[in-house]
Amino acid sequence: MRSRLRVVWLLVAVALLVGAVPARRALMEQRRDHNLGLETGALEAPPPELGFALSMGVFRSMLVQVLWMRAAEMQRDKRFYELVQLYDLIGKLQPHNGMVWVYAAWNMSYNISVEIPSSRERWRWVQNGLDRLRFHGL
């Protein structure tokens, strides 16, 4: 009895998978034809620096966590220019997470700018934080 039930569920799963292939093709064609503004090939050709990170699959989140810890360490050591590059990498790894962009912009505008002695340089850090949010985050 139990083995029959497993066979039935296996057949249902195979039927659903087989039925999903034409539906996916139809959806992809509809996206292309109607130009809905949806990117169909967003991850087909990633930038070279993201190739390794994207190939990590589920371990990408652990890589991002390590990068965040490294960012905190860089800020403690006052290595701000390297920190900006690290924020860029984290933003590329998590482009749809709005908090990444908000935090990076806030940190550059409020925390890093205060550490800079020159008022002209301070304003540049504030403006770079706002530009990061406006041009990359949105």
Side-chain angles (χ1 to χ4, degrees), residues 52-89:
F52 174 71
L54 291 175
S55 68
M56 292 183 70
V58 296
F59 296 109
R60 186 173 70 170
S61 63
M62 292 193 311
L63 174 67
V64 170
Q65 186 64 33
V66 169
L67 291 176
W68 277 114
M69 289 188 294
R70 185 173 162 137
E73 181 181 312
M74 283 182 181
Q75 186 155 357
R76 268 194 313 270
D77 296 340
K78 299 184 191 286
R79 298 185 328 199
F80 301 128
Y81 293 104
E82 295 173 35
L83 181 63
V84 171
Q85 292 175 343
L86 198 58
Y87 283 155
D88 287 337
L89 181 60

Side-chain angles (χ1 to χ4, degrees), residues 87 101-115 122-133:
Y87 283 155
W101 305 106
V102 168
Y103 179 79
W106 169 78
N107 195 30
M108 288 170 64
S109 297
Y110 285 92
N111 296 333
I112 296 174
S113 67
V114 173
E115 299 285 332
R122 272 191 212 152
W123 176 246
R124 197 174 82 169
W125 278 98
V126 170
Q127 193 161 12
N128 285 339
L130 293 173
D131 288 345
R132 173 172 304 275
L133 187 61

